[in-house]
Amino acid sequence: MPEATSDSGPDNSHKEGDVPGSTPSGGSAVTAPAAESVAGAVQLPAWTKALGWCGVAGLIYLLICAVSIISRGFAGLGSDAAHTMFAFAAHPWVGLSVGVLGTVLIQSSTTTTAIAVTAVGSGALPLQGAIPIILGANVGTTVTTSLVALTFIGDRTEFRRALGASTVHDFYNWLALLIFFPIELIWHPLEHISGTLTHALYGTDWLPNPAHFNFIRAATGPVEHGVIHATSHVSSTLGPLFTILIGAALILVAVRYLGKLLKLLMVGRARDVLIKAVGRNAYLAMASGMGVTVVTQSSTITTSVLVPFAGAGILTPAQVYPVVVGSNLGTTFTVVFAAFAGVGQDAKIGLQAAFVHLIYNLFAIVVIYVIPLLRPVPLYCAENLARIASEHRWVLGVYLGTVFIALPALVIVLVGVL
């Protein structure tokens, strides 16, 4: 199957054969000195790595605790109060905007999605209300990589290359949203397919039942009870609210520092895997992007690692494109994992919400990337935005401020508040 191609090379001032690290076939056989000059890996002592991996284990434990804490907080609110919290997001367009804007503000789609999945698993948020939030979070996470490209703004050529590679993630996710959000509103395929999958697998040997994960409850019990005890001294309404806020803050801290720590421990190997895979085959690059994202727990890390290589002209946006697609899928496994921390009568539907995220990104890959018709669209949009923004830098500020902040905020105010 043909790979996505780019009309513009890494640098218009060079001929194709002069591009650093390029191969005659148009690949990206990056030499070691070139790679090291762009993003050198820090060699850590063995004892530092050991402490680092202990920290990773501790942060994963904290993530599971945080999910359990939020679940207890929603349970403490009672069904009426819990549903009132999400009443403003009942409208699908408001939920979508909450997902986009919330992810932009906290810079973590995993946090936004995990909170939505936990709310569903606790019975506080219906699945239909969570789906737009999940789809919006998928878009909101792309803004971070665009901000990374701003570090090259001093050089017009490097800025164009870096921005083209970073915003291909934006336009891929916007295109997926444009296709699947209206379809979901009308026919609800994500809800139906995820429900069928969960019903078929739940409680079978193929898929563990979260309700049987008693050891998770035992392991998270001390932290969970400590937070509940600390918030029990206030009113019956404020106590659970504080519990939910503490759990959300712990998810944010766990995901943020888990990403930073894994980046420090893995970025050298992850970078080598990505760079070696990018120029060989688009689907190998996609698989590498997915694998690295599963390991680092962050699609932002995966895509941001490649932006300096694109800015230096070593990689083209077309070569970064399949890695971005794979990272989108890889980030869904974190939320599926978090869903297993939920227990109780609504744990099954919480797991279904996590499957929505997974199925959505699988469908996006098939419709946008595997089928050649739509594959060039995100790349075309990204390269043209990069070309225009490199000549008129204010265009990028207008783009980011409008689509990621102003427009979602306007929808929330006009539809959800007024």
Side-chain angles (χ1 to χ4, degrees):
M1 189 166 292
E3 298 179 21
T5 57
S6 170
D7 292 335
S8 59
D11 188 346
N12 291 335
S13 63
H14 294 279
K15 295 181 180 179
E16 185 178 353
D18 296 332
V19 176
S22 66
T23 65
S25 62
S28 59
V30 182
T31 61
E36 290 173 3
S37 66
V38 178
V42 177
Q43 296 297 325
L44 299 175
W47 65 270
T48 304
K49 289 183 179 180
L51 288 176
W53 286 112
C54 289
V56 168
L59 288 169
I60 291 174
Y61 170 74
L62 183 63
L63 175 63
I64 298 173
C65 288
V67 172
S68 298
I69 288 168
I70 292 178
S71 181
R72 284 292 298 273
F74 281 127
L77 275 177
S79 59
D80 291 339
H83 284 91
T84 301
M85 280 188 63
F86 291 97
F88 74 100
H91 194 286
W93 288 98
V94 176
L96 178 68
S97 301
V98 167
V100 173
L101 188 59
T103 304
V104 169
L105 294 177
I106 65 178
Q107 294 287 287
S108 173
S109 63
T110 301
T111 301
T112 306
T113 309
I115 292 173
V117 169
T118 305
V120 172
S122 304
L125 178 66
L127 180 64
Q128 294 85 349
I131 291 176
I133 296 176
I134 292 170
L135 269 56
N138 220 52
V139 169
T141 190
T142 63
V143 72
T144 307
T145 313
S146 298
L147 296 176
V148 173
L150 287 174
T151 59
F152 295 89
I153 200 167
D155 185 289
R156 177 174 295 180
T157 302
E158 290 184 352
F159 181 56
R160 175 178 57 79
R161 297 166 178 159
L163 189 62
S166 62
T167 55
V168 73
H169 197 188
D170 299 32
F171 289 107
Y172 173 81
N173 280 346
W174 280 116
L175 181 58
L177 184 68
L178 184 65
I179 294 171
F180 290 104
F181 186 58
I183 293 175
E184 183 63 24
L185 290 180
I186 300 171
W187 293 291
H188 313 289
L190 295 175
E191 179 183 348
H192 296 322
I193 295 173
S194 63
T196 301
L197 181 65
T198 305
H199 180 72
L201 298 180
Y202 194 86
T204 67
D205 293 336
W206 290 92
L207 187 69
N209 187 337
H212 297 161
F213 278 28
N214 295 326
F215 66 90
I216 290 182
R217 178 67 68 181
T220 61
V223 176
E224 184 180 321
H225 292 314
V227 173
I228 297 295
H229 178 73
T231 58
S232 62
H233 303 293
V234 293
S235 69
S236 59
T237 300
L238 289 178
L241 283 176
F242 285 143
T243 300
I244 293 169
L245 290 175
I246 291 172
L250 289 177
I251 287 181
L252 181 60
V253 169
V255 171
R256 180 67 55 86
Y257 286 98
L258 185 61
K260 289 180 180 293
L261 193 53
L262 283 168
K263 182 178 181 180
L264 182 63
L265 294 170
M266 291 294 300
V267 71
R269 296 177 184 174
R271 185 195 63 214
D272 292 342
V273 168
L274 289 174
I275 295 304
K276 289 178 180 178
V278 159
R280 294 180 181 177
N281 179 276
Y283 292 100
L284 177 59
M286 188 188 301
S288 300
M290 182 185 71
V292 170
T293 302
V294 170
V295 171
T296 60
Q297 303 279 299
S298 172
S299 61
T300 301
I301 290 177
T302 305
T303 53
S304 296
V305 160
L306 299 179
V307 172
F309 289 91
I314 296 171
L315 298 178
T316 66
Q319 293 167 330
V320 173
Y321 185 10
V323 181
V324 165
V325 173
S327 71
N328 251 25
L329 183 60
T331 194
T332 65
F333 291 98
T334 305
V335 181
V336 172
F337 168 75
F340 282 96
V343 294
Q345 61 181 3
D346 293 309
K348 182 177 179 179
I349 196 171
L351 188 59
Q352 181 183 347
F355 277 139
V356 166
H357 196 202
L358 176 63
I359 294 169
Y360 170 63
N361 280 286
L362 279 173
F363 281 178
I365 289 175
V366 173
V367 172
I368 299 176
Y369 196 86
V370 175
I371 300 175
L373 180 64
L374 294 177
R375 188 189 303 171
V377 174
L379 189 60
Y380 174 83
C381 294
E383 290 184 329
N384 278 277
L385 175 65
R387 177 180 54 80
I388 295 171
S390 65
E391 298 171 358
H392 310 284
R393 288 173 173 80
W394 57 268
V395 170
L396 180 61
V398 172
Y399 162 71
L400 295 177
T402 301
V403 301
F404 288 105
I405 298 176
L407 189 58
L410 189 63
V411 170
I412 293 172
V413 172
L414 294 182
V415 181
V417 178
L418 298 182

PDB file of all heavy atoms in Angstrom, residues 85-108:
ATOM      1  N   MET A  85     -23.312  17.290  38.638  1.00  0.00           N
ATOM      2  CA  MET A  85     -21.971  17.764  38.293  1.00  0.00           C
ATOM      3  C   MET A  85     -21.746  17.767  36.790  1.00  0.00           C
ATOM      4  O   MET A  85     -21.077  18.651  36.244  1.00  0.00           O
ATOM      5  CB  MET A  85     -20.905  16.878  38.948  1.00  0.00           C
ATOM      6  CG  MET A  85     -20.637  17.158  40.398  1.00  0.00           C
ATOM      7  SD  MET A  85     -19.225  16.198  40.949  1.00  0.00           S
ATOM      8  CE  MET A  85     -17.931  16.877  39.930  1.00  0.00           C
ATOM      9  N   PHE A  86     -22.302  16.787  36.101  1.00  0.00           N
ATOM     10  CA  PHE A  86     -22.061  16.642  34.670  1.00  0.00           C
ATOM     11  C   PHE A  86     -23.256  17.071  33.823  1.00  0.00           C
ATOM     12  O   PHE A  86     -23.273  16.827  32.623  1.00  0.00           O
ATOM     13  CB  PHE A  86     -21.703  15.184  34.355  1.00  0.00           C
ATOM     14  CG  PHE A  86     -20.368  14.759  34.876  1.00  0.00           C
ATOM     15  CD1 PHE A  86     -20.275  14.086  36.076  1.00  0.00           C
ATOM     16  CD2 PHE A  86     -19.207  15.044  34.181  1.00  0.00           C
ATOM     17  CE1 PHE A  86     -19.044  13.694  36.579  1.00  0.00           C
ATOM     18  CE2 PHE A  86     -17.972  14.660  34.666  1.00  0.00           C
ATOM     19  CZ  PHE A  86     -17.891  13.983  35.865  1.00  0.00           C
ATOM     20  N   ALA A  87     -24.236  17.716  34.479  1.00  0.00           N
ATOM     21  CA  ALA A  87     -25.420  18.124  33.727  1.00  0.00           C
ATOM     22  C   ALA A  87     -25.071  19.113  32.622  1.00  0.00           C
ATOM     23  O   ALA A  87     -25.652  19.090  31.536  1.00  0.00           O
ATOM     24  CB  ALA A  87     -26.452  18.721  34.676  1.00  0.00           C
ATOM     25  N   PHE A  88     -24.108  20.002  32.890  1.00  0.00           N
ATOM     26  CA  PHE A  88     -23.738  21.006  31.890  1.00  0.00           C
ATOM     27  C   PHE A  88     -23.096  20.363  30.672  1.00  0.00           C
ATOM     28  O   PHE A  88     -23.095  20.940  29.583  1.00  0.00           O
ATOM     29  CB  PHE A  88     -22.774  22.019  32.503  1.00  0.00           C
ATOM     30  CG  PHE A  88     -21.383  21.491  32.701  1.00  0.00           C
ATOM     31  CD1 PHE A  88     -20.378  21.783  31.799  1.00  0.00           C
ATOM     32  CD2 PHE A  88     -21.076  20.694  33.797  1.00  0.00           C
ATOM     33  CE1 PHE A  88     -19.097  21.283  31.977  1.00  0.00           C
ATOM     34  CE2 PHE A  88     -19.804  20.196  33.976  1.00  0.00           C
ATOM     35  CZ  PHE A  88     -18.810  20.494  33.060  1.00  0.00           C
ATOM     36  N   ALA A  89     -22.536  19.168  30.832  1.00  0.00           N
ATOM     37  CA  ALA A  89     -21.880  18.483  29.715  1.00  0.00           C
ATOM     38  C   ALA A  89     -22.796  17.473  29.043  1.00  0.00           C
ATOM     39  O   ALA A  89     -22.351  16.702  28.203  1.00  0.00           O
ATOM     40  CB  ALA A  89     -20.615  17.784  30.201  1.00  0.00           C
ATOM     41  N   ALA A  90     -24.082  17.499  29.394  1.00  0.00           N
ATOM     42  CA  ALA A  90     -25.005  16.539  28.806  1.00  0.00           C
ATOM     43  C   ALA A  90     -25.173  16.782  27.313  1.00  0.00           C
ATOM     44  O   ALA A  90     -25.392  15.849  26.548  1.00  0.00           O
ATOM     45  CB  ALA A  90     -26.360  16.626  29.509  1.00  0.00           C
ATOM     46  N   HIS A  91     -25.087  18.037  26.910  1.00  0.00           N
ATOM     47  CA  HIS A  91     -25.163  18.342  25.485  1.00  0.00           C
ATOM     48  C   HIS A  91     -23.873  17.879  24.812  1.00  0.00           C
ATOM     49  O   HIS A  91     -22.773  18.196  25.281  1.00  0.00           O
ATOM     50  CB  HIS A  91     -25.352  19.848  25.275  1.00  0.00           C
ATOM     51  CG  HIS A  91     -25.764  20.214  23.891  1.00  0.00           C
ATOM     52  ND1 HIS A  91     -24.896  20.184  22.816  1.00  0.00           N
ATOM     53  CD2 HIS A  91     -26.965  20.611  23.384  1.00  0.00           C
ATOM     54  CE1 HIS A  91     -25.527  20.550  21.726  1.00  0.00           C
ATOM     55  NE2 HIS A  91     -26.790  20.814  22.030  1.00  0.00           N
ATOM     56  N   PRO A  92     -23.965  17.130  23.727  1.00  0.00           N
ATOM     57  CA  PRO A  92     -22.748  16.561  23.125  1.00  0.00           C
ATOM     58  C   PRO A  92     -21.727  17.599  22.680  1.00  0.00           C
ATOM     59  O   PRO A  92     -20.520  17.369  22.794  1.00  0.00           O
ATOM     60  CB  PRO A  92     -23.285  15.742  21.940  1.00  0.00           C
ATOM     61  CG  PRO A  92     -24.667  16.237  21.702  1.00  0.00           C
ATOM     62  CD  PRO A  92     -25.179  16.692  23.025  1.00  0.00           C
ATOM     63  N   TRP A  93     -22.187  18.747  22.194  1.00  0.00           N
ATOM     64  CA  TRP A  93     -21.243  19.780  21.759  1.00  0.00           C
ATOM     65  C   TRP A  93     -20.519  20.400  22.948  1.00  0.00           C
ATOM     66  O   TRP A  93     -19.351  20.760  22.847  1.00  0.00           O
ATOM     67  CB  TRP A  93     -21.968  20.858  20.956  1.00  0.00           C
ATOM     68  CG  TRP A  93     -22.391  20.388  19.600  1.00  0.00           C
ATOM     69  CD1 TRP A  93     -23.619  19.942  19.224  1.00  0.00           C
ATOM     70  CD2 TRP A  93     -21.553  20.278  18.443  1.00  0.00           C
ATOM     71  NE1 TRP A  93     -23.617  19.565  17.902  1.00  0.00           N
ATOM     72  CE2 TRP A  93     -22.365  19.764  17.397  1.00  0.00           C
ATOM     73  CE3 TRP A  93     -20.214  20.557  18.180  1.00  0.00           C
ATOM     74  CZ2 TRP A  93     -21.858  19.530  16.114  1.00  0.00           C
ATOM     75  CZ3 TRP A  93     -19.724  20.325  16.913  1.00  0.00           C
ATOM     76  CH2 TRP A  93     -20.533  19.820  15.895  1.00  0.00           C
ATOM     77  N   VAL A  94     -21.218  20.503  24.073  1.00  0.00           N
ATOM     78  CA  VAL A  94     -20.568  21.012  25.287  1.00  0.00           C
ATOM     79  C   VAL A  94     -19.561  19.987  25.799  1.00  0.00           C
ATOM     80  O   VAL A  94     -18.439  20.335  26.192  1.00  0.00           O
ATOM     81  CB  VAL A  94     -21.614  21.339  26.369  1.00  0.00           C
ATOM     82  CG1 VAL A  94     -20.925  21.776  27.656  1.00  0.00           C
ATOM     83  CG2 VAL A  94     -22.557  22.427  25.884  1.00  0.00           C
ATOM     84  N   GLY A  95     -19.952  18.709  25.803  1.00  0.00           N
ATOM     85  CA  GLY A  95     -19.022  17.666  26.227  1.00  0.00           C
ATOM     86  C   GLY A  95     -17.775  17.633  25.371  1.00  0.00           C
ATOM     87  O   GLY A  95     -16.659  17.483  25.880  1.00  0.00           O
ATOM     88  N   LEU A  96     -17.964  17.774  24.062  1.00  0.00           N
ATOM     89  CA  LEU A  96     -16.823  17.821  23.150  1.00  0.00           C
ATOM     90  C   LEU A  96     -15.907  18.994  23.487  1.00  0.00           C
ATOM     91  O   LEU A  96     -14.680  18.849  23.549  1.00  0.00           O
ATOM     92  CB  LEU A  96     -17.329  17.943  21.715  1.00  0.00           C
ATOM     93  CG  LEU A  96     -16.272  18.054  20.619  1.00  0.00           C
ATOM     94  CD1 LEU A  96     -15.499  16.751  20.491  1.00  0.00           C
ATOM     95  CD2 LEU A  96     -16.929  18.416  19.284  1.00  0.00           C
ATOM     96  N   SER A  97     -16.490  20.152  23.740  1.00  0.00           N
ATOM     97  CA  SER A  97     -15.704  21.347  24.054  1.00  0.00           C
ATOM     98  C   SER A  97     -15.003  21.217  25.396  1.00  0.00           C
ATOM     99  O   SER A  97     -13.865  21.678  25.560  1.00  0.00           O
ATOM    100  CB  SER A  97     -16.608  22.586  24.045  1.00  0.00           C
ATOM    101  OG  SER A  97     -17.220  22.755  22.786  1.00  0.00           O
ATOM    102  N   VAL A  98     -15.673  20.580  26.361  1.00  0.00           N
ATOM    103  CA  VAL A  98     -15.040  20.339  27.666  1.00  0.00           C
ATOM    104  C   VAL A  98     -13.824  19.440  27.495  1.00  0.00           C
ATOM    105  O   VAL A  98     -12.770  19.674  28.107  1.00  0.00           O
ATOM    106  CB  VAL A  98     -16.056  19.702  28.640  1.00  0.00           C
ATOM    107  CG1 VAL A  98     -15.348  19.154  29.879  1.00  0.00           C
ATOM    108  CG2 VAL A  98     -17.101  20.722  29.049  1.00  0.00           C
ATOM    109  N   GLY A  99     -13.950  18.418  26.649  1.00  0.00           N
ATOM    110  CA  GLY A  99     -12.820  17.529  26.406  1.00  0.00           C
ATOM    111  C   GLY A  99     -11.642  18.247  25.773  1.00  0.00           C
ATOM    112  O   GLY A  99     -10.490  18.055  26.179  1.00  0.00           O
ATOM    113  N   VAL A 100     -11.915  19.115  24.787  1.00  0.00           N
ATOM    114  CA  VAL A 100     -10.844  19.853  24.122  1.00  0.00           C
ATOM    115  C   VAL A 100     -10.199  20.844  25.079  1.00  0.00           C
ATOM    116  O   VAL A 100      -8.971  20.836  25.290  1.00  0.00           O
ATOM    117  CB  VAL A 100     -11.382  20.607  22.881  1.00  0.00           C
ATOM    118  CG1 VAL A 100     -10.293  21.500  22.293  1.00  0.00           C
ATOM    119  CG2 VAL A 100     -11.874  19.627  21.824  1.00  0.00           C
ATOM    120  N   LEU A 101     -11.023  21.723  25.680  1.00  0.00           N
ATOM    121  CA  LEU A 101     -10.486  22.791  26.519  1.00  0.00           C
ATOM    122  C   LEU A 101      -9.849  22.247  27.790  1.00  0.00           C
ATOM    123  O   LEU A 101      -8.783  22.724  28.214  1.00  0.00           O
ATOM    124  CB  LEU A 101     -11.607  23.778  26.866  1.00  0.00           C
ATOM    125  CG  LEU A 101     -11.190  25.065  27.579  1.00  0.00           C
ATOM    126  CD1 LEU A 101     -10.189  25.846  26.735  1.00  0.00           C
ATOM    127  CD2 LEU A 101     -12.418  25.925  27.879  1.00  0.00           C
ATOM    128  N   GLY A 102     -10.480  21.235  28.396  1.00  0.00           N
ATOM    129  CA  GLY A 102      -9.910  20.653  29.615  1.00  0.00           C
ATOM    130  C   GLY A 102      -8.547  20.048  29.366  1.00  0.00           C
ATOM    131  O   GLY A 102      -7.620  20.204  30.174  1.00  0.00           O
ATOM    132  N   THR A 103      -8.385  19.373  28.230  1.00  0.00           N
ATOM    133  CA  THR A 103      -7.099  18.760  27.905  1.00  0.00           C
ATOM    134  C   THR A 103      -6.047  19.816  27.590  1.00  0.00           C
ATOM    135  O   THR A 103      -4.876  19.654  27.956  1.00  0.00           O
ATOM    136  CB  THR A 103      -7.259  17.795  26.717  1.00  0.00           C
ATOM    137  OG1 THR A 103      -8.254  16.824  27.039  1.00  0.00           O
ATOM    138  CG2 THR A 103      -5.952  17.086  26.409  1.00  0.00           C
ATOM    139  N   VAL A 104      -6.450  20.887  26.924  1.00  0.00           N
ATOM    140  CA  VAL A 104      -5.510  21.986  26.655  1.00  0.00           C
ATOM    141  C   VAL A 104      -5.009  22.585  27.960  1.00  0.00           C
ATOM    142  O   VAL A 104      -3.814  22.882  28.122  1.00  0.00           O
ATOM    143  CB  VAL A 104      -6.178  23.059  25.781  1.00  0.00           C
ATOM    144  CG1 VAL A 104      -5.316  24.320  25.734  1.00  0.00           C
ATOM    145  CG2 VAL A 104      -6.413  22.538  24.368  1.00  0.00           C
ATOM    146  N   LEU A 105      -5.903  22.754  28.924  1.00  0.00           N
ATOM    147  CA  LEU A 105      -5.531  23.409  30.182  1.00  0.00           C
ATOM    148  C   LEU A 105      -4.643  22.534  31.048  1.00  0.00           C
ATOM    149  O   LEU A 105      -3.689  23.019  31.665  1.00  0.00           O
ATOM    150  CB  LEU A 105      -6.797  23.809  30.954  1.00  0.00           C
ATOM    151  CG  LEU A 105      -7.663  24.893  30.299  1.00  0.00           C
ATOM    152  CD1 LEU A 105      -8.917  25.141  31.122  1.00  0.00           C
ATOM    153  CD2 LEU A 105      -6.864  26.185  30.134  1.00  0.00           C
ATOM    154  N   ILE A 106      -4.930  21.233  31.118  1.00  0.00           N
ATOM    155  CA  ILE A 106      -4.130  20.360  31.989  1.00  0.00           C
ATOM    156  C   ILE A 106      -3.041  19.629  31.223  1.00  0.00           C
ATOM    157  O   ILE A 106      -2.225  18.927  31.824  1.00  0.00           O
ATOM    158  CB  ILE A 106      -5.008  19.349  32.741  1.00  0.00           C
ATOM    159  CG1 ILE A 106      -5.678  18.369  31.768  1.00  0.00           C
ATOM    160  CG2 ILE A 106      -6.048  20.056  33.573  1.00  0.00           C
ATOM    161  CD1 ILE A 106      -6.523  17.312  32.453  1.00  0.00           C
ATOM    162  N   GLN A 107      -3.033  19.784  29.884  1.00  0.00           N
ATOM    163  CA  GLN A 107      -1.973  19.220  29.044  1.00  0.00           C
ATOM    164  C   GLN A 107      -1.850  17.706  29.180  1.00  0.00           C
ATOM    165  O   GLN A 107      -0.752  17.151  29.159  1.00  0.00           O
ATOM    166  CB  GLN A 107      -0.631  19.879  29.387  1.00  0.00           C
ATOM    167  CG  GLN A 107      -0.548  21.353  29.053  1.00  0.00           C
ATOM    168  CD  GLN A 107      -0.432  21.597  27.556  1.00  0.00           C
ATOM    169  OE1 GLN A 107       0.598  21.352  26.954  1.00  0.00           O
ATOM    170  NE2 GLN A 107      -1.510  22.080  26.957  1.00  0.00           N
ATOM    171  N   SER A 108      -2.990  17.028  29.296  1.00  0.00           N
ATOM    172  CA  SER A 108      -2.942  15.572  29.418  1.00  0.00           C
ATOM    173  C   SER A 108      -4.281  14.980  28.997  1.00  0.00           C
ATOM    174  O   SER A 108      -5.264  15.083  29.736  1.00  0.00           O
ATOM    175  CB  SER A 108      -2.617  15.150  30.851  1.00  0.00           C
ATOM    176  OG  SER A 108      -2.730  13.750  31.001  1.00  0.00           O
TER     177      SER A 108
END
